[in-house]
Amino acid sequence: MKKFFILLLMIGVVTALAACSPNTSDTQGDEGEELTIEKQGSFSAGGVVVETPGTYESQKFDNWKPYPEGQTYHGDHASVFYQIPEKARDFPMVFLHGAGQSARTWQTTPDGRDGFQNIFLKRGFSTYLIDQPRRGQAGRSTVESQITPVADEQMWFEIWRMGRWPEYSKNVQFPQDEKSLEQFFQWMTPDTGSFDANLVSDATAKVFDESGKGILVTHSQGGLPGWMAAAQTDKVAAVASYEPGNYLFPENEVPESLPSRTGALQGISVPMDEFKKLTEIPIVIYFGDYIPEANEISDDLGAENWRVRLELGRQFVETVNKYGGDATLVELPKIGVHGNTHFMFAEQNNVELADLLSDWMKEKGLDKRGQ
Amino acid sequence: MKKFFILLLMIGVVTALAACSPNTSDTQGDEGEELTIEKQGSFSAGGVVVETPGTYESQKFDNWKPYPEGQTYHGDHASVFYQIPEKARDFPMVFLHGAGQSARTWQTTPDGRDGFQNIFLKRGFSTYLIDQPRRGQAGRSTVESQITPVADEQMWFEIWRMGRWPEYSKNVQFPQDEKSLEQFFQWMTPDTGSFDANLVSDATAKVFDESGKGILVTHSQGGLPGWMAAAQTDKVAAVASYEPGNYLFPENEVPESLPSRTGALQGISVPMDEFKKLTEIPIVIYFGDYIPEANEISDDLGAENWRVRLELGRQFVETVNKYGGDATLVELPKIGVHGNTHFMFAEQNNVELADLLSDWMKEKGLDKRGQ
């Protein structure tokens, strides 16, 4: 293990709560108003039961030494916190976080305003927030893992396009005060077992057995298992994905690997009948600012990491639509929305981001009530 | 790592959500009714910033290989999900889970009914649910840890007094259907670093900086850091503790170690001025059923583990009250409440348990509004 120099600076609690939701020009939502919840709670979805061979001896005990023989272990499930507002719209929204994150991604913003959970609850959608298998409150992993604290926050600051440490990107929508950055870094939580897209997609699909048919909202690393879940169950009515890390393509149509400083990117091959599922539902993908065009190779880690994912996203959308699908890729700066990083849904203009999603859901008939 | 025999049984999603809150004879609450939330969200409290010596090189990259030099790492904070209902009572309730658990402990019941989070929100209390440092969504630990899946659920079933596997205790209040047990086991989530009561108490005290003066509700392993937090900040107005694992005593007054099959139990010594803080606030402790008297040594793991913790609790209450405090220990079977295990607040009679706590809070003037 790396030895750390522990700063004695104890982190004071942030005044995040004191920051109220600003008055915005949002015409669709009701931010700042009260929220009436008909039902809320927690459940697990997916997962496996592992049983160690042998016979369990009731009341055996040896000073807390493990004696797994004949005992069971429930693991690799997702943990879900759900809220159903009064007069909920027909389709719930199911949220799947990205790498190093948990449901917290959606529960607030770095500066303590309403996150997408609150915004869409207030707009009448039931929300289901996932902690994926082997992450956060779903930490019981069936595989062994080493948790090693390695200081990495400046790297993520750059990979996520907040800027070139310690400078923020020009006109960035990420709040630039110290406390917001501190709260944001504290959202991170490690994997308690290796990331497994199949496990995540399986558990995500099973969340829809509980929520009913609905809209899947994914971010980053959650993008790929999100597409897989949508190809796996008819209960995913639509997918909205914020800067997905990767994409599915039909066998023999996977584009050539895209080289980048942060690693070559190649799409994932699935049988055509699975891919076709993605052509039967509306799909929208959002990418933020500070991403160069496909051929503009850069030294910048954030630019490099997302340049190829954006480009592969274009090819994914093209392929989905070629087979009769309804996929849209929104490059925010090209529609006049500037300054967004990889965490656009939690930035200063997140109500504007929510409005874009609301408009799209309305256009696709996903926001109906009482159908 | 132990090799496991993986049962191919994939766990279906439980019909927990379908189970509605039953009509109860509760006269204080409004279970089953809607809940109006004025504000909700997430924040972190406590923790440290670790900085690796060296100089950070912006835009350096080597195929995702860590390069911690000059980078920071925020860890060992608590993660908190809070909800403030309309017309909230003056004192919020802050909930701290036990070993192997997270905020999920309070968010539902194994059979999918309202947990203490919902019950007390509906009774007008703001709720703050903690994931303690190095657990759940607060997984960024500053110390290294090995996560090893070891099948242990039958042992916990017995330690927590649900019964002698596979038989449930007679008249137990824990729901006895298979799906409830499965959901309950899925609440467990591992430590991502060694348990450190000082870290937990420090973060818990800092949660009150955010919530304001309020009532701390602890369970099991959370009991000890709960007493420590109450001794550390004036913002803990009262403590309600469900089967705490250990207790504080004044220097030179720590009782003799209590031997037990599950390990000898000894109280923790603190300076008298710290202990005195616990004499300035109302305290209530609840213990459930199936716990023998102090001198009734047993073969039963659950009986043994809690017999000594109950007995030390009696001595703690006596000591607090000797110094002018207001501590009460409630042994549920002795007031006619039978069948409760270690997870009493999530069992079939959890509304009755909540009523007991409500009555106590009312008696102590902790449920006022607009003071």
Side-chain angles (χ1 to χ4, degrees):
Chain A
M1 178 195 172
K2 295 273 172 193
K3 290 243 167 119
F4 288 108
F5 180 69
I6 306 251
L7 289 185
L8 289 178
L9 169 67
M10 293 299 287
I11 302 169
V13 173
V14 164
T15 53
L17 299 188
C20 283
S21 191
N23 263 335
T24 68
S25 58
D26 166 45
T27 55
Q28 302 176 331
D30 39 9
E31 278 74 15
E33 287 176 26
E34 287 184 341
L35 170 62
T36 303
I37 300 291
E38 201 173 282
K39 199 161 163 40
Q40 65 175 25
S42 160
F43 64 91
S44 296
V48 295
V49 183
V50 170
E51 185 168 338
T52 306
T55 304
Y56 176 67
E57 285 181 54
S58 178
Q59 308 298 325
K60 177 178 163 180
F61 192 79
D62 183 12
N63 199 25
W64 299 103
K65 220 183 84 188
Y67 53 105
E69 293 73 24
Q71 296 204 59
T72 58
Y73 180 101
H74 287 68
D76 294 350
H77 48 273
S79 167
V80 181
F81 180 68
Y82 72 94
Q83 293 182 285
I84 301 172
E86 69 171 351
K87 303 192 191 85
R89 297 178 195 270
D90 295 352
F91 287 143
M93 297 172 76
V94 176
F95 291 86
L96 178 59
H97 56 75
Q101 297 285 311
S102 70
R104 298 186 74 190
T105 287
W106 314 104
Q107 288 188 324
T108 186
T109 62
D111 50 356
R113 294 175 300 105
D114 278 351
F116 265 26
Q117 176 184 33
N118 292 358
I119 292 174
F120 285 101
L121 279 168
K122 289 176 179 175
R123 293 182 184 183
F125 291 91
S126 299
T127 61
Y128 289 71
L129 305 194
I130 294 175
D131 277 8
Q132 74 186 21
R134 307 179 182 171
R135 186 82 59 78
Q137 293 174 342
R140 284 275 270 196
S141 161
T142 63
V143 298
E144 206 167 12
S145 179
Q146 180 76 23
I147 307 281
T148 306
V150 177
D152 57 0
E153 290 166 350
Q154 283 63 32
M155 183 197 75
W156 289 117
F157 183 93
E158 300 195 337
I159 290 281
W160 291 335
R161 309 195 313 280
M162 278 127 209
R164 285 203 175 208
W165 183 265
E167 300 299 323
Y168 281 91
S169 300
K170 199 182 157 192
N171 300 321
V172 73
Q173 293 282 358
F174 193 92
Q176 294 179 47
D177 61 290
E178 209 172 288
K179 294 197 163 175
S180 292
L181 187 63
E182 180 172 273
Q183 285 283 318
F184 176 72
F185 283 149
Q186 289 172 326
W187 291 0
M188 283 198 265
T189 198
D191 285 319
T192 56
S194 51
F195 174 78
D196 181 332
N198 286 303
L199 270 186
V200 177
S201 68
D202 180 70
T204 299
K206 290 196 166 72
V207 172
F208 284 87
D209 290 341
E210 207 47 62
S211 69
K213 193 166 180 167
I215 301 145
L216 176 58
V217 183
T218 65
H219 180 220
S220 196
Q221 187 190 57
L224 176 62
W227 308 127
M228 292 163 68
Q232 177 176 346
T233 170
D234 292 334
K235 289 179 178 159
V236 175
V239 179
S241 187
Y242 291 89
E243 301 197 357
N246 207 343
Y247 308 87
L248 301 180
F249 288 89
E251 283 170 325
N252 307 319
E253 295 191 44
V254 181
E256 271 185 35
S257 169
L258 297 168
S260 144
R261 251 196 94 194
T262 60
L265 178 67
Q266 182 135 43
I268 304 294
S269 164
V270 289
M272 179 58 93
D273 61 335
E274 277 184 46
F275 182 81
K276 278 277 180 73
K277 296 272 194 161
L278 301 180
T279 68
E280 293 161 8
I281 56 172
I283 287 172
V284 67
I285 298 170
Y286 297 96
F287 272 84
D289 209 340
Y290 318 113
I291 307 177
E293 285 304 318
N295 56 356
E296 293 172 9
I297 293 165
S298 154
D299 274 345
D300 191 89
L301 297 185
E304 277 297 283
N305 197 54
W306 302 104
R307 175 180 62 82
V308 290
R309 297 179 207 282
L310 169 56
E311 174 56 20
L312 195 62
R314 293 188 187 108
Q315 298 177 22
F316 169 74
V317 162
E318 198 179 288
T319 311
V320 168
N321 291 341
K322 183 176 82 181
Y323 288 104
D326 174 16
T328 307
L329 191 150
V330 179
E331 299 177 48
L332 292 174
K334 295 188 179 171
I335 62 165
V337 179
H338 297 283
N340 283 112
T341 78
H342 187 52
F343 280 82
M344 58 191 80
F345 48 81
E347 295 189 294
Q348 284 165 348
N349 62 338
N350 70 332
V351 171
E352 187 177 7
L353 269 287
D355 289 349
L356 288 173
L357 183 53
S358 282
D359 287 344
W360 179 81
M361 290 192 292
K362 187 183 172 78
E363 186 192 318
K364 302 302 174 189
L366 298 165
D367 64 352
K368 299 266 194 315
R369 281 192 171 95
Q371 296 289 299
Chain B
M1 179 194 168
K2 295 274 172 192
K3 290 244 168 123
F4 288 108
F5 179 69
I6 306 251
L7 290 184
L8 288 178
L9 170 65
M10 293 298 288
I11 302 169
V13 172
V14 162
T15 53
L17 299 188
C20 283
S21 190
N23 263 335
T24 69
S25 58
D26 166 45
T27 55
Q28 303 176 327
D30 39 9
E31 278 76 14
E33 288 177 25
E34 287 183 344
L35 170 61
T36 304
I37 300 291
E38 202 173 281
K39 198 161 165 41
Q40 65 174 24
S42 160
F43 64 92
S44 297
V48 293
V49 184
V50 170
E51 184 168 338
T52 307
T55 305
Y56 177 66
E57 285 181 55
S58 177
Q59 308 298 326
K60 177 177 163 180
F61 193 79
D62 182 13
N63 200 25
W64 300 102
K65 219 183 86 190
Y67 53 105
E69 292 73 25
Q71 296 203 58
T72 60
Y73 180 100
H74 288 67
D76 293 351
H77 49 272
S79 166
V80 181
F81 180 67
Y82 72 94
Q83 294 183 282
I84 300 172
E86 68 171 353
K87 302 190 192 86
R89 296 178 196 271
D90 295 352
F91 287 142
M93 298 173 75
V94 176
F95 292 87
L96 177 60
H97 55 74
Q101 297 284 311
S102 70
R104 298 187 73 190
T105 287
W106 313 103
Q107 289 189 322
T108 185
T109 63
D111 50 357
R113 292 175 301 105
D114 277 351
F116 264 26
Q117 176 183 35
N118 292 358
I119 291 174
F120 285 101
L121 279 168
K122 289 177 180 174
R123 292 182 184 184
F125 291 91
S126 299
T127 62
Y128 289 71
L129 306 192
I130 294 175
D131 277 9
Q132 73 186 22
R134 306 178 182 172
R135 187 82 58 77
Q137 293 174 341
R140 285 275 270 197
S141 161
T142 63
V143 297
E144 207 169 12
S145 179
Q146 180 73 25
I147 306 281
T148 305
V150 177
D152 57 0
E153 290 165 350
Q154 284 61 34
M155 183 197 75
W156 290 117
F157 183 93
E158 300 196 338
I159 290 280
W160 291 335
R161 309 194 314 278
M162 279 128 208
R164 284 203 175 211
W165 183 265
E167 299 299 322
Y168 281 91
S169 300
K170 198 181 159 196
N171 299 323
V172 74
Q173 293 282 358
F174 193 92
Q176 294 179 47
D177 62 291
E178 208 172 293
K179 294 197 164 176
S180 292
L181 187 62
E182 180 171 273
Q183 286 282 320
F184 175 72
F185 283 149
Q186 289 172 326
W187 292 359
M188 283 198 265
T189 197
D191 284 319
T192 54
S194 50
F195 173 78
D196 180 331
N198 286 303
L199 269 187
V200 176
S201 67
D202 179 71
T204 299
K206 289 198 167 71
V207 172
F208 284 86
D209 290 339
E210 206 49 61
S211 69
K213 193 166 181 169
I215 302 145
L216 176 58
V217 183
T218 65
H219 180 221
S220 197
Q221 187 191 56
L224 176 62
W227 308 127
M228 292 162 68
Q232 176 176 348
T233 171
D234 292 334
K235 290 179 177 160
V236 175
V239 180
S241 186
Y242 291 90
E243 301 198 355
N246 208 343
Y247 308 87
L248 301 181
F249 288 89
E251 283 169 325
N252 307 319
E253 295 190 44
V254 180
E256 271 185 34
S257 168
L258 296 169
S260 146
R261 252 196 95 195
T262 59
L265 178 67
Q266 181 135 43
I268 305 294
S269 164
V270 289
M272 179 58 92
D273 62 333
E274 277 185 44
F275 182 81
K276 278 277 181 74
K277 296 271 195 163
L278 301 180
T279 68
E280 293 162 8
I281 56 172
I283 286 172
V284 67
I285 298 170
Y286 296 96
F287 272 84
D289 210 341
Y290 317 112
I291 307 177
E293 284 305 317
N295 58 355
E296 293 172 10
I297 293 166
S298 153
D299 274 345
D300 191 89
L301 296 186
E304 278 296 284
N305 196 55
W306 303 104
R307 174 180 63 81
V308 290
R309 297 179 207 282
L310 169 56
E311 175 56 19
L312 195 61
R314 292 188 188 108
Q315 298 177 21
F316 169 74
V317 162
E318 199 177 287
T319 312
V320 168
N321 291 341
K322 184 176 81 178
Y323 287 104
D326 174 16
T328 308
L329 191 150
V330 179
E331 299 178 47
L332 292 173
K334 295 189 179 171
I335 61 164
V337 180
H338 297 283
N340 282 113
T341 76
H342 187 52
F343 280 82
M344 58 190 80
F345 49 81
E347 295 190 295
Q348 285 164 348
N349 62 338
N350 69 332
V351 172
E352 188 177 7
L353 269 287
D355 289 349
L356 288 173
L357 183 53
S358 282
D359 287 345
W360 180 80
M361 290 192 291
K362 187 184 174 77
E363 188 191 317
K364 302 302 174 189
L366 299 165
D367 64 351
K368 299 267 193 315
R369 280 192 173 96
Q371 296 290 298

